[in-house]
Amino acid sequence: MNLRLASSASCATLLLTTLLSVSCGDGQVAAFGPSEAFRVRNAQFIEGDFPGTAPRKEPKKGEPTVTALELKNRVVYQGQGGKSLSGRVSTDSRSVGIALEDVGSGYWVIPAGNPDPTTNELTWSVTADFDLRLESGMTNLWVVAIDEDGHAGARLEQQLCIASRVPDNLNSCVPTQAPPQAVISLDWSVNADLDLQVVAPNGKIISPKHPTTNDPDEPGKVADGKIDRDSNAGCVIDGQRHENLIWNADMPRGRYKIYVNLFDSCRQSAVPFDVSVYTQKATKDGAKLVQKLERYGELVEAQVNTENELGSFVAEYRF
């Protein structure tokens, strides 16, 4: 993937403001086979180089042209499914080619749709999936119009941020934006209600049911660590299967014990999972998150624990 990152602090700040001004996703985690890392649903896949020419400021006369590209936002997450893309092409177009720059072995093609009632240009609309294998960072979405003879015009490029599934404050797209001080992540692969549980050095248990590191005796204190979600709570499937304990600052040093609890199997016989620990590391651009520990495991239906108890011990890590 060709990552073209901001080259100055001011440019990075502007980009970050743009990215953070919109919501972070249209859909759920994508689920598809080990083929293309970027997929367009109900489209034809064609192997080979992306057609057309480099972008032009002005369209060439008599050439099929992408006249509009509409996105709700320019941030997608690794593993995100159901991202809506739409736009318009000139009336001499018959199909639309779509790809991510330097990703995969080809591109996707859909037929141009009905005329827009206002412009009379032809509309197009797709739903795209972004695999977990995609490298986080800035990349370009490519769209090109193709006429009935198979001739493609100049491609339209739209910069996208492929945001890390591990919450990093969009540091993977804007390196000058500081990532969290540390993150403990839990991922699992089937639709069950799994909970990340962490015992802090002071003995406090942090879990989706008690998501902050606040001491109950200090109710007014701002949390220095917090779990971001209770994924699949009560078997209401949210498409995430991912929980993170995030410290942006003020992380107490010491030994943290990490547990995983199967709160509800949701009729799954076994639930594979992995736990990772990430910490902040200084770089020439500022800092980034690096993985310091990874552990795999599996819980079975007989281990369901709905009581206010710790689940299965996974690892201990000293920050």
Side-chain angles (χ1 to χ4, degrees), residues 10 39 43 51 57 59 67 79 92 108 186 218 225 248 268 274 280:
S10 59
R39 291 176 63 90
K57 290 184 178 180
T67 56
D92 55 351
W108 300 89
L186 167 66
E218 298 181 84
N248 278 302
Q268 301 286 342
D274 70 87
Q280 188 185 105

Side-chain angles (χ1 to χ4, degrees), residues 183-258:
V183 178
I184 300 176
S185 288
L186 167 66
D187 282 280
W188 60 102
S189 57
V190 298
N191 286 329
D193 182 2
L194 223 58
D195 287 338
L196 173 64
Q197 299 173 322
V198 178
V199 180
N202 63 1
K204 177 174 174 56
I205 300 173
I206 308 109
S207 73
K209 278 59 177 178
H210 304 87
T212 76
T213 57
N214 280 355
D215 189 314
D217 296 330
E218 298 181 84
K221 182 182 176 183
V222 177
D224 51 292
K226 186 174 183 179
I227 289 183
D228 57 358
R229 65 174 63 87
D230 187 0
S231 182
N232 290 352
C235 293
V236 177
I237 305 305
D238 59 13
Q240 296 289 334
R241 301 197 299 264
H242 187 65
E243 294 176 358
N244 304 281
L245 175 54
I246 307 163
W247 287 271
N248 278 302
D250 301 326
M251 181 185 187
R253 299 295 173 176
R255 294 187 179 275
Y256 288 76
K257 296 179 180 179
I258 305 169

Side-chain angles (χ1 to χ4, degrees), residues 70-88:
E70 297 172 0
L71 298 170
K72 287 185 179 179
N73 60 70
R74 296 194 292 128
V75 178
V76 296
Y77 280 82
Q78 294 171 318
Q80 180 181 327
K83 177 73 173 179
S84 297
L85 312 172
S86 61
R88 300 188 306 275

Side-chain angles (χ1 to χ4, degrees), residues 2 8 68 94 154 249 254 261:
N2 181 20
S8 67
R94 291 297 175 267
N261 183 51

